[in-house]
Amino acid sequence: MASELEPEVQAIDRSLLECSAEEIAGKWLQATDLTREVYQHLAHYVPKIYCRGPNPFPQKEDMLAQHVLLGPMEWYLCGEDPAFGFPKLEQANKPSHLCGRVFKVGEPTYSCRDCAVDPTCVLCMECFLGSIHRDHRYRMTTSGGGGFCDCGDTEAWKEGPYCQKHELNTSEIEEEEDPLVHLSEDVIARTYNVFAIMFRYAVEILTWEKESELPADLEIIEKRDTYYCMLFNDEVHTYEQVIYTLQKAVNCTQKEAIGFATTVDRDGRRSVRYGDFQYCEQAKSVIVRNTSRQTKPLKVQVMHSSIVAHQNFGLKLLSWLGSIIGYSDGLRRILCQVGLQEGPDGENSSLVDRLMLNDSKLWKGARSVYHQLFMSSLLMDLKYKKLFAVRFAKNYERLQSDYVTDDHDREFSIADLSVQIFTVPSLARMLITEENLMTIIIKTFMDHLRHRDAQGRFQFERYTALQAFKFRRVQSLILDLKYVLISKPTEWSDDLREKFLEGFDAFLELLKCMQGMDPITRQVGQHIEMEPEWEAAFTLQMKLTHVISMMQDWCALDEKVLIEAYKKCLAVLMQCHGGFTDGEQPITLSICGHSVETIRYCVSQEKVSIHLPVSRLLAGLHVLLSKSEVAYKFPELLPLSELSPPMLIEHPLRCLVLCAQVHAGMWRRNGFSLVNQIYYYHNVKCRREMFDKDIIMLQTGVSMMDPNHFLMIMLSRFELYQIFSTPDYGKRFSSEITHKDVVQQNNTLIEEMLYLIIMLVGERFSPGVGQVNATDEIKREIIHQLSIKPMAHSELVKSLPEDENKETGMESVIEAVAHFRKPGLTGRGMYELKPECAKEFNLYFYHFSRAEQSKAEEAQRKLKRQNREDTALPPPVLPPFCPLFASLVNILQSDVMLCIMRTVLQWAVEHNGYAWSESMLQRVLHLIGMALQEEKQHLDNVTEEHVVTFTFTQKISKPGEAPDNSPSILAMLETLQSAPYLDVHKDMIRWILKTFNAIKKIRESSSTSPVAETEGTIMEESSRDKDKAERKRKAEIARLRREKIMAQMSEMQRHFIDENKELFQQTLELDASTSAVLDNSPMVSDTALTALGPAQTQVPDQRQFVTCILCQEEQEVKVESKAMVLAAFVQRSTVLSKNRSKFIQDPEKYDPLFMHPDLSCGTHTGSCGHIMHAHCWQRYFDSVQAKEQRRQQRLRLHTSYDVENGEFLCPLCECLSNTVIPLLLPPRNIFNRYCFFKEFRKYGCTAAP
């Protein structure tokens, strides 16, 4: 068919080339109905240029289109030869101060971390290299395509908005002049005519849905009967499926099918067959049949060739418009006017609206072309950018719904332009105020999540594949909300307040649907059969984390907004609590004469949820009331009297009890889904708006209620009330119950409860809770991370939470708390904690995991031992609480707290009768230390008119009341100081007693009572005398032991000499006869050495130098040098076996170092000979283990060595190894030592034992 068409095609080409663009343009200038003339021209020529056969000829088609179709338009627009007209327009134009370069896929982009308003503000390479930002901290990424350079946009940069190239054009940017003044009226009129006709033509043909007929204006009588079978792209079918289907459908080779599939994926569509209707329909039916078995079929259409031709020219036309408007800002302004002008059908009838609303129906190539046109026209004209933003916001719900049902990636959707609009601060404020954008985004999001439970909460449990797909796509709306909020307002209008609070209401409705979602119940008896869906809920939480933080930041900027937001959040929380009854029954708790009414609730038996965003948002707002001092300025405007502290603490407390019970092993039968939830609850990605806010909410509750009541409620929720409220319950419990798991669980729960109390009192580094700022908070995080071990920059950044701008704030404070150790030839540079910051270390820092806490404790104790200090890790001195939280410290001196402390210490004193643990005791000692530090600070900062009400030292000095009559806490601490089974805690107890005495001195010095002073002096002196006597007693015991050992050694030496008199006589004679010879003997080589003994030949010491393969440091092998080792492999060997008939059972567990007496199996040790420092090897091996542990199980590749069995590869030659061999001195060096000892003995010296 193609060969038959060639002469006809050549004839058409000749006739097309004979066309004159100037003549056609002149004819159009004379026309009365320009639209009709242009459409007739296009109807006649477009089908002759495009789609003349099965394969396209892009270069030829573009050349003919320029000559016949676009050339006349350029002549008409310029009124003269465009080769002269366009340069004139360009010369008359005042260049834009905006760069606007549209990025291609993979092109590098740069964002200044110091000056960018948000991370989406980027520069192209040319602008970046010519800007001040090249000397700042910057982030370099590769573009996914579709964005543009923000150089020249003053709203995108805090400073330096212009590069050298674009700042030349900023002399008159204040004057918002109309760019049309640079164009003549004739040019404006002609441009308007051309743009209106051509833009309308392109939109009409691209959105045309009929497959066999054209719009009436473009129909021609001589219509060819040729069709294309057009295959469209989707994101469902794989390359392999498409290639296989095409081979069957159109009988092509695999190479041709790959070419078709590649073009379809790149451009969005490709014709796979050309011919008459039946011929193309046949291919379509085969494609549909072969791809519809498991999923929806590939989209295929049989389209008339003239329709395809006009659509191809429509895309060419949009690209042409984009290039033409580059000559003049006036042309760009005219195109924007044409695009946004309302059509005859009213709303949404403009050309821009029609394109946007048909976005999901267009193929990938068409979308990309018109998106680029929008970016180079509407988004580059500041006036029409606002108008376009309004149109985008009005159609937002429809556009997002189309995107959710579409299967193309977001980068190919018009919805992706939201980042270009919503991140402009002025546009975002305008859209919030005028279009209520926040509410629209949130309600659109909630409309897509309609799967709810009976209480109206989101339910992800039985999601179908389609619902899961929609959920993944609808998450992009959260990103849009983040863009809107990312730039905070500096000034608030009444309209902005009103619309923000309206959006806040909608946001609370969203959080209300999340409050208590995915509730879980402890599995008892049988392991859970199917792991429940948990990832969707946590994905939603992670996506919303920064949005929740930004909502709080906005509220903090205006006092009126903060007060209203607090009221609204409290009202929603009370509604939520009204729905969570769960069959709760009232009970009364009593300890130490205090009683409280609460509800009976067992976390281990009832439903409990880890998702409590409304509670946590209220906690954040409560802290802002303190931080902004609104709580003290306008207390009458706040509903603080309506607050019910037990209600506030209930659900966060349940969540923390759940974590404690999981750690105690009580929820093992609930599977890994719960373990993962607890992990993410504490993880750096989520903890700021989950775990941290739960702690703050409990702190809020404690600060507003009697601490004794709070502690009793907490004991009840931890299910420990019976243990601490009943005398001797612990002893009965340990004797009656023999099940070790139950004992261990209770011990762990007590430990976790004490840890929680430590956190409530000690975690006051959030601005608003304690009198600190954000810098102090970051410093503390870094100090505790570096307390574990020195860290590289990347490792440290990963352990810190990021804000919405992907910043951790580390760079601003790191130099104040750490030294940077430069890397050697291999390895990484490390930050090491400054020694003076070690005093701020808190063993029970709330962001430590259990493994990190253990490593940090070990590292800090080791450091103290190296500095020859005692190994106590006392609590650090803490900043004071803000006034709103000031009463929280009273929990430390409350009666119930003292009862808990006394009980645990009693268990430790009578350690054989109770089930207790050292961790429990360690936490109680830490709490006592915190209380003493607190009292000391109160005394140091007290003024004359104030009285210190914190009297912890007095309370721990008093014995227990009748009938118990237990000793005082202080007396029990003195008893435990000498307990032999508590050696590791003695330093801490000593520090507590020392601090106690120091506080007593301060109190006595400020007291006017001579009696109290005398009593204190007597107690102090008696305490000092007791310590002195104890030290003297121990020194005497040590002296007697040394004398006894020395006497035994002396007796053994005398006995040995008596038995070997003859040998010693010979030795003395030999010494006398050979001494002269030895002194004058010549040096000989190793080959002459024949014997080792008292009179061996003297040989020179050969100094041996070796190089560590890891740090490249060279050193001599000496006794006092750093230890060196060789990589080695130890394994079983049967080479010299004496019993080959023996079969070893379970050879994997057989220790290769064990040799059976029958010598059936021996030990073989081999080494590659590469030498390392022992500490370098240990660090390398630890890194190999850590890397293997960090790698997810499902991504773990097969390796040639087993890290769990201690195997590793030699760092240099990668030889398999499982041990190291120490590098020792050569035996001949013993000779020098022998000579030394002989001289030593000659002078009558004896060796110490």
Side-chain angles (χ1 to χ4, degrees):
M1 187 180 286
S3 60
E4 293 172 8
L5 287 172
E6 281 182 8
E8 183 185 348
V9 171
Q10 290 173 1
I12 291 172
D13 289 350
R14 281 195 298 274
S15 68
L16 293 173
L17 292 171
E18 289 169 1
C19 289
S20 169
E22 185 179 2
E23 290 177 9
I24 296 169
K27 183 180 174 185
W28 288 355
L29 285 168
Q30 304 298 322
T32 55
D33 188 350
L34 181 61
T35 304
R36 184 167 170 274
E37 286 289 335
V38 173
Y39 267 64
Q40 283 182 353
H41 183 76
L42 297 177
H44 180 72
Y45 284 107
V46 168
K48 292 185 178 183
I49 295 174
Y50 288 93
C51 303
R52 301 294 303 170
N55 295 309
F57 299 97
Q59 293 178 336
K60 181 181 177 183
E61 290 171 355
D62 288 349
M63 183 269 291
L64 291 172
Q66 179 63 39
H67 182 69
V68 180
L69 303 175
L70 301 176
M73 295 175 201
E74 293 174 357
W75 271 88
Y76 179 87
L77 188 149
C78 296
E80 60 179 323
D81 188 344
F84 302 108
F86 285 138
K88 288 180 182 176
L89 289 173
E90 200 168 14
Q91 191 173 4
N93 182 50
K94 188 176 121 182
S96 171
H97 57 274
L98 297 172
C99 174
R101 174 189 173 91
V102 179
F103 297 120
K104 298 173 183 174
V105 177
E107 188 173 349
T109 62
Y110 300 82
S111 179
C112 181
R113 294 171 59 194
D114 296 324
C115 305
V117 171
D118 63 75
T120 64
C121 302
V122 291
L123 298 172
C124 63
M125 182 186 285
E126 185 181 358
C127 291
F128 173 74
L129 293 176
S131 72
I132 62 171
H133 307 297
R134 64 181 298 174
D135 299 322
H136 297 175
R137 298 179 307 138
Y138 63 88
R139 185 181 288 110
M140 178 181 172
T141 54
T142 54
S143 172
F148 61 85
C149 177
D150 292 304
C151 184
D153 185 353
T154 53
E155 287 196 84
W157 310 97
K158 297 170 188 172
E159 65 171 304
Y162 307 104
C163 68
Q164 294 170 355
K165 176 182 175 182
H166 294 106
E167 72 179 341
L168 302 174
N169 312 317
T170 61
S171 55
E172 301 174 11
I173 57 171
E174 283 80 15
E175 301 176 15
E176 282 272 347
E177 66 173 2
D178 190 341
L180 295 178
V181 298
H182 300 292
L183 301 178
S184 66
E185 290 185 7
D186 289 345
V187 171
I188 292 172
R190 290 195 301 270
T191 303
Y192 192 89
N193 289 339
V194 171
F195 282 2
I197 294 168
M198 303 319 294
F199 202 175
R200 179 193 148 212
Y201 162 79
V203 172
E204 190 173 3
I205 199 65
L206 289 175
T207 58
W208 188 252
E209 295 184 7
K210 296 182 180 179
E211 300 177 9
S212 300
E213 56 182 271
L214 283 163
D217 298 340
L218 297 172
E219 281 285 10
I220 54 174
I221 302 171
E222 303 170 6
K223 192 173 177 183
R224 296 173 58 86
D225 187 27
T226 53
Y227 290 83
Y228 285 103
C229 180
M230 194 67 71
L231 177 65
F232 290 82
N233 177 65
D234 68 17
E235 302 298 330
V236 177
H237 297 88
T238 63
Y239 255 95
E240 289 73 18
Q241 287 174 314
V242 176
I243 292 166
Y244 173 75
T245 301
L246 288 175
Q247 285 180 274
K248 291 186 71 175
V250 297
N251 296 323
C252 62
T253 64
Q254 186 181 25
K255 185 177 180 182
E256 290 173 328
I258 291 172
F260 287 147
T262 304
T263 307
V264 168
D265 183 63
R266 184 186 68 235
D267 299 336
R269 73 177 192 179
R270 173 70 161 88
S271 63
V272 295
R273 180 168 279 186
Y274 175 76
D276 59 30
F277 183 81
Q278 291 297 331
Y279 187 58
C280 294
E281 186 67 28
Q282 179 190 358
K284 174 183 174 180
S285 61
V286 175
I287 293 172
V288 170
R289 188 171 61 248
N290 277 299
T291 58
S292 61
R293 289 170 187 165
Q294 296 176 341
T295 56
K296 69 174 185 177
L298 280 166
K299 182 181 176 184
V300 194
Q301 288 182 352
V302 176
M303 303 175 68
H304 195 277
S305 59
S306 59
I307 295 176
V308 178
H310 279 285
Q311 288 185 340
N312 286 354
F313 177 63
L315 293 182
K316 177 68 179 174
L317 197 56
L318 292 180
S319 299
W320 176 78
L321 287 171
S323 62
I324 290 297
I325 61 176
Y327 290 114
S328 168
D329 284 357
L331 299 182
R332 178 182 289 113
R333 174 65 60 87
I334 294 170
L335 183 63
C336 293
Q337 288 175 355
V338 168
L340 287 170
Q341 186 176 2
E342 287 289 347
D345 299 331
E347 192 176 11
N348 291 337
S349 60
S350 72
L351 296 174
V352 167
D353 285 327
R354 287 174 61 186
L355 273 177
M356 286 197 298
L357 296 176
N358 283 282
D359 183 76
S360 61
K361 298 174 184 175
L362 298 178
W363 63 100
K364 194 188 290 186
R367 297 185 194 189
S368 298
V369 170
Y370 95 81
H371 292 173
Q372 290 204 6
L373 178 62
F374 280 10
M375 281 190 280
S376 59
S377 57
L378 296 166
L379 297 180
M380 290 289 289
D381 189 299
L382 298 180
K383 176 183 176 182
Y384 280 90
K385 187 174 187 178
K386 291 183 180 178
L387 297 175
F388 174 63
V390 172
R391 299 307 314 152
F392 189 87
K394 286 186 182 295
N395 290 311
Y396 184 82
E397 188 173 353
R398 168 87 179 271
L399 296 178
Q400 293 298 337
S401 297
D402 288 347
Y403 165 66
V404 169
T405 53
D406 185 25
D407 68 347
H408 280 64
D409 292 337
R410 180 149 175 109
E411 64 198 80
F412 300 111
S413 170
I414 188 68
D416 196 42
L417 283 187
S418 61
V419 66
Q420 308 296 344
I421 300 169
F422 297 162
T423 54
V424 180
S426 59
L427 290 183
R429 304 278 188 286
M430 179 197 72
L431 293 175
I432 290 173
T433 306
E434 298 178 11
E435 300 299 327
N436 208 0
L437 182 62
M438 274 179 63
T439 307
I440 289 173
I441 293 174
I442 295 166
K443 287 190 173 177
T444 304
F445 177 77
M446 292 182 67
D447 284 343
H448 289 288
L449 296 179
R450 294 182 177 171
H451 203 55
R452 315 275 173 89
D453 64 9
Q455 284 78 31
R457 300 173 296 204
F458 291 138
Q459 192 170 27
F460 303 104
E461 184 60 42
R462 288 178 289 279
Y463 251 28
T464 62
L466 179 61
Q467 286 173 318
F469 172 77
K470 283 180 68 177
F471 177 64
R472 285 196 298 274
R473 296 179 83 77
V474 83
Q475 289 167 25
S476 61
L477 276 78
I478 299 175
L479 203 58
D480 286 348
L481 187 57
K482 180 181 171 184
Y483 292 149
V484 171
L485 297 170
I486 202 163
S487 178
K488 282 80 178 176
T490 51
E491 295 179 1
W492 287 80
S493 64
D494 289 340
D495 287 341
L496 182 59
R497 284 192 188 94
E498 180 188 347
K499 295 298 181 182
F500 173 76
L501 287 171
E502 199 173 320
F504 189 79
D505 278 332
F507 190 64
L508 284 174
E509 282 300 310
L510 169 61
L511 297 188
K512 186 179 174 183
C513 293
M514 295 171 62
Q515 181 87 353
M517 66 180 174
D518 282 1
I520 47 178
T521 309
R522 183 181 172 213
Q523 194 77 10
V524 182
Q526 185 179 355
H527 195 281
I528 196 166
E529 292 181 4
M530 185 178 293
E531 294 280 350
E533 167 60 47
W534 64 273
E535 293 181 8
F538 260 91
T539 301
L540 183 57
Q541 175 66 44
M542 281 190 203
K543 296 284 184 184
L544 282 172
T545 294
H546 286 142
V547 175
I548 296 171
S549 298
M550 286 188 282
M551 281 284 189
Q552 295 171 45
D553 293 342
W554 274 58
C555 292
L557 295 171
D558 187 78
E559 293 175 347
K560 293 179 182 176
V561 171
L562 178 57
I563 292 168
E564 286 303 313
Y566 188 81
K567 289 178 181 176
K568 290 175 183 290
C569 191
L570 180 60
V572 171
L573 182 61
M574 292 173 77
Q575 290 174 24
C576 293
H577 274 273
F580 295 164
T581 54
D582 295 333
E584 298 156 348
Q585 299 173 348
I587 56 169
T588 302
L589 306 175
S590 298
I591 300 181
C592 299
H594 297 274
S595 296
V596 64
E597 288 189 359
T598 181
I599 51 172
R600 187 186 301 280
Y601 185 91
C602 289
V603 173
S604 61
Q605 296 173 15
E606 309 286 347
K607 286 185 176 181
V608 61
S609 172
I610 208 166
H611 298 284
L612 305 168
V614 179
S615 300
R616 291 159 186 160
L617 178 58
L618 184 68
L621 294 175
H622 192 82
V623 169
L624 291 177
L625 291 179
S626 169
K627 182 181 176 183
S628 61
E629 299 186 354
V630 170
Y632 321 125
K633 293 179 187 173
F634 313 106
E636 70 282 356
L637 299 178
L638 291 165
L640 296 178
S641 59
E642 299 173 21
L643 291 175
S644 167
M647 181 200 78
L648 296 181
I649 68 171
E650 185 62 39
H651 289 284
L653 182 55
R654 291 179 189 180
C655 193
L656 290 162
V657 170
L658 170 67
C659 296
Q661 291 184 351
V662 169
H663 180 56
M666 294 171 64
W667 290 69
R668 286 198 190 98
R669 291 184 174 88
N670 284 70
F672 282 108
S673 63
L674 179 57
V675 174
N676 290 328
Q677 289 185 65
I678 301 298
Y679 168 77
Y680 278 106
Y681 173 72
H682 290 97
N683 185 264
V684 68
K685 291 181 180 178
C686 299
R687 71 186 181 210
R688 177 171 279 182
E689 293 302 331
M690 293 189 83
F691 172 63
D692 292 5
K693 288 294 190 293
D694 282 346
I695 295 295
I696 289 173
M697 184 52 97
L698 289 187
Q699 289 176 319
T700 301
V702 178
S703 64
M704 292 191 293
M705 63 191 296
D706 185 332
N708 293 296
H709 294 174
F710 169 78
L711 288 170
M712 284 189 281
I713 292 172
M714 184 159 70
L715 284 169
S716 175
R717 297 296 172 268
F718 272 90
E719 300 172 29
L720 300 170
Y721 175 72
Q722 286 293 329
I723 294 178
F724 288 97
S725 63
T726 310
D728 272 349
Y729 182 87
K731 186 176 287 187
R732 292 209 313 272
F733 177 78
S734 61
S735 60
E736 290 173 6
I737 300 200
T738 55
H739 203 291
K740 289 185 178 179
D741 280 354
V742 179
V743 174
Q744 184 58 48
Q745 282 172 9
N746 276 297
N747 282 352
T748 305
L749 288 176
I750 294 170
E751 291 167 14
E752 291 296 309
M753 185 193 68
L754 293 169
Y755 186 19
L756 178 55
I757 298 170
I758 291 171
M759 289 190 283
L760 294 180
V761 180
E763 296 310 325
R764 48 181 92 170
F765 279 81
S766 297
V769 175
Q771 296 178 26
V772 294
N773 54 39
T775 305
D776 298 325
E777 190 176 8
I778 299 162
K779 276 184 183 177
R780 186 166 182 255
E781 290 279 352
I782 294 172
I783 286 170
H784 284 85
Q785 288 299 325
L786 295 180
S787 296
I788 303 169
K789 61 176 181 179
M791 287 186 179
H793 183 276
S794 58
E795 193 178 1
L796 192 53
V797 166
K798 285 177 186 175
S799 66
L800 299 173
E802 291 182 343
D803 63 11
E804 64 273 14
N805 292 324
K806 299 182 180 177
E807 294 291 339
T808 60
M810 186 186 90
E811 285 89 349
S812 61
V813 300
I814 187 67
E815 291 182 1
V817 297
H819 296 295
F820 184 70
R821 189 180 71 211
K822 293 182 179 179
L825 295 174
T826 60
R828 299 178 295 175
M830 293 286 185
Y831 284 112
E832 291 179 337
L833 187 65
K834 288 184 176 179
E836 61 267 25
C837 294
K839 68 178 183 296
E840 297 180 41
F841 172 74
N842 179 7
L843 177 59
Y844 294 101
F845 177 58
Y846 72 149
H847 288 159
F848 276 158
S849 67
R850 281 162 186 83
E852 287 171 340
Q853 185 187 37
S854 176
K855 288 179 183 176
E857 181 178 7
E858 186 180 342
Q860 293 306 305
R861 289 192 192 279
K862 182 178 179 183
L863 191 65
K864 282 180 171 283
R865 283 193 291 269
Q866 287 174 354
N867 296 336
R868 298 188 177 180
E869 301 172 6
D870 64 46
T871 57
L873 296 173
V877 176
L878 298 170
F881 277 114
C882 290
L884 202 59
F885 292 87
S887 62
L888 204 153
V889 295
N890 291 324
I891 195 173
L892 290 172
Q893 60 171 354
S894 64
D895 294 339
V896 177
M897 186 73 249
L898 293 167
C899 170
I900 293 170
M901 289 178 178
R902 188 177 288 109
T903 303
V904 174
L905 291 173
Q906 187 70 37
W907 293 346
V909 170
E910 303 174 21
H911 64 284
N912 293 324
Y914 295 88
W916 66 288
S917 67
E918 285 196 29
S919 295
M920 205 186 293
L921 175 64
Q922 189 176 13
R923 284 160 169 76
V924 166
L925 294 176
H926 194 88
L927 280 166
I928 294 171
M930 290 176 78
L932 292 173
Q933 291 277 39
E934 198 68 40
E935 185 170 350
K936 191 168 184 294
Q937 277 184 279
H938 281 231
L939 289 169
D940 290 342
N941 301 327
V942 72
T943 54
E944 289 183 9
E945 63 271 15
H946 288 92
V947 178
V948 176
T949 57
F950 197 87
T951 56
F952 182 76
T953 50
Q954 292 178 15
K955 292 183 179 181
I956 63 172
S957 304
K958 295 177 183 176
E961 296 177 359
D964 188 16
N965 292 328
S966 60
S968 68
I969 290 175
L970 186 64
M972 285 192 279
L973 286 171
E974 289 175 345
T975 304
L976 290 172
Q977 187 181 13
S978 57
Y981 52 90
L982 292 177
D983 279 345
V984 72
H985 302 298
K986 283 184 179 176
D987 286 340
M988 183 64 186
I989 296 171
R990 193 178 302 118
W991 178 87
I992 288 172
L993 296 173
K994 181 181 174 186
T995 309
F996 176 85
N997 288 327
I999 292 170
K1000 285 194 73 83
K1001 277 187 179 179
I1002 295 171
R1003 281 195 177 278
E1004 288 160 6
S1005 63
S1006 61
S1007 172
T1008 57
S1009 168
V1011 178
E1013 188 174 339
T1014 308
E1015 287 178 357
T1017 307
I1018 292 168
M1019 281 184 68
E1020 189 180 335
E1021 286 177 358
S1022 64
S1023 178
R1024 276 205 299 268
D1025 292 345
K1026 193 186 292 183
D1027 286 347
K1028 190 174 180 181
E1030 179 68 13
R1031 284 197 297 272
K1032 188 175 180 181
R1033 185 180 66 82
K1034 288 181 178 178
E1036 183 64 21
I1037 292 171
R1039 185 184 65 77
L1040 292 172
R1041 184 168 172 272
R1042 279 198 303 274
E1043 288 180 358
K1044 183 178 178 182
I1045 292 170
M1046 290 295 288
Q1048 288 176 344
M1049 289 288 293
S1050 177
E1051 178 62 25
M1052 288 170 66
Q1053 285 178 342
R1054 188 184 58 75
H1055 183 69
F1056 181 78
I1057 292 172
D1058 288 345
E1059 288 188 350
N1060 299 278
K1061 283 182 179 178
E1062 295 179 1
L1063 179 62
F1064 270 84
Q1065 187 64 35
Q1066 291 171 8
T1067 303
L1068 291 171
E1069 290 172 2
L1070 188 62
D1071 283 347
S1073 62
T1074 58
S1075 59
V1077 178
L1078 189 62
D1079 290 341
N1080 300 315
S1081 62
M1083 298 293 227
V1084 295
S1085 67
D1086 280 0
T1087 53
L1089 186 63
T1090 57
L1092 286 172
Q1096 65 179 259
T1097 310
Q1098 187 177 356
V1099 294
D1101 287 344
Q1102 291 186 355
R1103 300 174 68 189
Q1104 183 182 3
F1105 290 89
V1106 292
T1107 303
C1108 173
I1109 63 172
L1110 289 173
C1111 68
Q1112 301 298 310
E1113 180 186 333
E1114 186 181 54
Q1115 76 168 41
E1116 185 179 355
V1117 181
K1118 295 192 295 185
V1119 175
E1120 59 271 20
S1121 298
K1122 296 176 185 174
M1124 306 289 282
V1125 294
L1126 297 90
F1129 188 74
V1130 178
Q1131 59 185 327
R1132 289 179 293 106
S1133 174
T1134 56
V1135 174
L1136 301 175
S1137 174
K1138 302 296 183 183
N1139 183 9
R1140 294 187 181 275
S1141 61
K1142 183 173 180 179
F1143 176 73
I1144 298 173
Q1145 292 184 342
D1146 202 1
E1148 292 296 324
K1149 295 183 179 178
Y1150 188 88
D1151 186 355
L1153 297 177
F1154 173 71
M1155 287 181 64
H1156 197 273
D1158 64 1
L1159 299 180
S1160 59
C1161 190
T1163 301
H1164 174 267
T1165 305
S1167 172
C1168 59
H1170 293 125
I1171 300 171
M1172 302 161 275
H1173 286 115
H1175 67 272
C1176 287
W1177 170 80
Q1178 187 63 55
R1179 203 159 54 227
Y1180 164 74
F1181 184 65
D1182 289 345
S1183 70
V1184 169
Q1185 283 189 313
K1187 181 180 176 184
E1188 201 65 22
Q1189 289 168 1
R1190 283 196 305 270
R1191 193 181 300 167
Q1192 294 183 15
Q1193 192 67 36
R1194 62 177 180 274
L1195 299 177
R1196 192 166 290 178
L1197 304 174
H1198 176 71
T1199 53
S1200 59
Y1201 59 96
D1202 184 357
V1203 175
E1204 292 180 0
N1205 284 338
E1207 294 180 356
F1208 62 96
L1209 300 181
C1210 169
L1212 187 62
C1213 67
E1214 296 193 345
C1215 180
L1216 182 63
S1217 311
N1218 61 5
T1219 189
V1220 288
I1221 301 173
L1223 187 66
L1224 303 176
L1225 290 166
R1228 67 185 62 148
N1229 287 18
I1230 298 169
F1231 176 71
N1232 294 334
R1233 289 175 173 269
Y1234 167 76
C1235 291
F1236 170 77
F1237 280 117
K1238 187 170 72 174
E1239 292 296 319
F1240 193 70
R1241 196 177 62 216
K1242 189 181 294 182
Y1243 290 103
C1245 297
T1246 56

